[in-house]
Amino acid sequence: MAGTFTLGIVKPDAVEGGKTGKIVAHLEAAGFHLRAARLVRLTVAQAGAFYEVHRERPFYAGLVEFMTSGACLPMALERDDAVLHLRSVIGATDPAEAAPGTVRKLFAESKGRNAIHASDSPENATREIGFFFSEGELAGLRD
Ligand code: UDP
Ligand code: MG
């Protein structure tokens, strides 16, 4: 089956909490293949641009502060229907509402500090993968 791609990010709460390996293992066990990844510390400008769609929301400033508070791990992930499957695997935004066995239920602290990001559409997956990974790093992945 032809693979499709999505962008996941292990967020700073999970990296600092020593949960990165467990989360990557969970994603691999769920059928995702890790195709690109890099530990990065986002600047305020980068986090602000990545979450531009949320600029007018009341949680935006706190979200940018959180996402720049430590290292995070953006990942290009491949499997069939990658966007839909990753959204299902991570669970609801608020871990209190996330289904049992989802990444956020297992590893998130709160609605804000919720362990993982996942693209919400194929169009946004393309944009978000391009935000972190160059054509050269991704060369050959889509053939
Ligand atoms: N967020 C928050 N408070 C809210 C809603 C969202 O702190 O009431 C944060 C949270 O970290 C979330 C991110 O903003 O993951 C982006 O929000 P979105 O609604 O896109 O949720 P997601 O797609 O990550 O489930
Ligand atoms: Mg979202």
Side-chain angles (χ1 to χ4, degrees):
M1 190 177 298
T4 61
F5 289 83
T6 192
L7 191 279
I9 306 176
V10 181
K11 291 185 176 182
D13 59 317
V15 173
E16 185 58 28
K19 300 168 184 170
T20 307
K22 286 179 181 156
I23 290 173
V24 172
H26 189 100
L27 300 178
E28 290 181 328
F32 292 90
H33 292 272
L34 191 57
R35 297 307 191 199
R38 185 190 302 110
L39 202 62
V40 295
R41 176 82 181 260
L42 297 180
T43 65
V44 169
Q46 287 171 325
F50 184 81
Y51 283 112
E52 178 68 35
V53 66
H54 293 312
R55 186 173 290 276
E56 303 305 324
R57 307 288 289 278
F59 58 82
Y60 179 77
L63 175 60
V64 170
E65 183 178 9
F66 164 57
M67 289 300 293
T68 58
S69 67
C72 65
L73 186 80
M75 306 169 285
L77 295 162
E78 182 179 11
R79 68 159 288 178
D80 63 295
D81 286 333
V83 169
L84 282 177
H85 279 125
L86 188 61
R87 292 300 304 194
S88 169
V89 163
I90 71 171
T93 307
D94 185 344
E97 296 168 10
T102 58
V103 173
R104 282 167 167 168
K105 177 60 83 180
L106 290 168
F107 301 109
E109 298 176 12
S110 66
K111 189 173 187 180
R113 299 169 61 86
N114 60 358
I116 191 164
H117 166 86
S119 306
D120 63 6
S121 69
E123 295 72 25
N124 283 338
T126 299
R127 169 190 172 259
E128 292 179 358
I129 289 171
F131 193 92
F132 289 108
F133 300 107
S134 68
E135 282 297 317
E137 288 168 293
L138 299 170
L141 292 186
R142 288 184 174 79
D143 62 14

